Structure formats: structure tokens, C-alpha cells
Amino acid sequence: ESMDALLDYLDGNTEYDTRFVEGYVSYNESCGCDLTRDIRSDYNRLVDSTRRETETTYKQTYIRQMLNESRSMEEYMEALGKCREMLEAKEMAVCLNGSFFEGEDGSEHIGYDDEICAYSDEGKETFDRSEHILPGKWREKYKVFLFASLRSSCDTYGYMVMPYDGDFFTRFRHRIFQESMSLALEKLHQKIIISRLKEQKG
């Protein structure tokens, strides 16, 4: 019927109205469907998937709000700890460029400094990036890690690292979580700049 309507239009018949066509669902193996599957179970799985998706969205929104309220790195890490518990992530570290705390404005910062300040459950640790890229206690404890750059459009703040957890990666939209962390760091960096400017004027 769609093809007939198109051919009529090509023949110059530009008058058309809404058409309703009777249809039905046909499950077959060519579309990847199992002909013996239970439609009720499929529906329940769809409902459960939608519920989990909604729950994840709410969590991500709450996490972004919590991180954005941080006024210092200590508050940021405290908020991140609550986020980690909410997301059931084992451990997580934020590794920042040493220049992040200098409070300079107007200059782009691309890449990572030699000096890295790592914040984790073990506290704060500073190390040389040419020698290490992980918090000290993790180097013998874990073998596989997940890294994510923390940056705004023009500045690189550092990176987040955590022991690899495939379940966390798939369930909680790692990229959205990374963006939330970066946006909160951007606001925190701006607060540092403002604080430095106030000190200079004072």
C-alpha cells in the first residue's frame, strides 16, 4: 500500500489522507526469534529492563548533583565515595595533574603532568607519572584496570582509574559517569581560580 501511494504521488496525484492498514506480528527464525519462546517472559524482561534503565538514569542525575556541590577536593572525594557505594563499585581513584590546583585561568592544558596527585580511599598520594600511573597499594593488588580521561572541552584535569569491573561498565553507563566527574571537576577548578583571585586582590 505504501508503494501504491508513492506511485500515485509520482503520477501527479498529490491528494492523500491518513491510511490505516491491518497488521500482525509474525515471529520467525529469520529475524533471530525463537519460535518456541514465551511472549509473556519477553514482556517481563522488557519491563524489568525499562525499570533498571529508569533507575540508572535517576542514579546518574543524583550523582551529578552530589559531585557538583563539592567546594573542595576533600568534599569531591567524599561525594565520590557515596557515588561509588551507590554504584557498587569496589574502588576508584581520581588522579589529577599537579597544575589542577594552581588556579591559572585562560590557558588550555592538554595532556598529563609529570606530577600526579592521586585521591583514593587510602587518601592522597603524589607520584611521578613516568614511574607510576596507579595508587601504590593497587600495583600488586589488581591486574586489569579501567582508565577514563577527566577533561572539559579545552582542559585535561587528569584521569579516573578503577579495577576493571565489566558489570559496572555495562550497567552504569561509564561514559555518562565520566562526564559527571569531569563537569564537577571543571566547577571545582573554577572555584579554585576565583579563590586565588580573591587572595590576590585581598
Side-chain angles (χ1 to χ4, degrees), residues 157-172:
Y157 303 128
Y159 55 90
M160 180 272 281
V161 60
M162 62 182 289
Y164 182 75
D165 181 344
D167 192 40
F168 171 85
F169 188 81
T170 54
R171 279 187 307 146
F172 293 106

Side-chain angles (χ1 to χ4, degrees), residues 11 15 32 39 48 54 65 78 100 133 144 148 152:
D11 285 339
E15 294 183 8
I39 303 301
D48 185 54
T54 303
Q65 289 174 346
E78 185 179 339
F100 177 83
I133 55 173
V144 182
S152 67

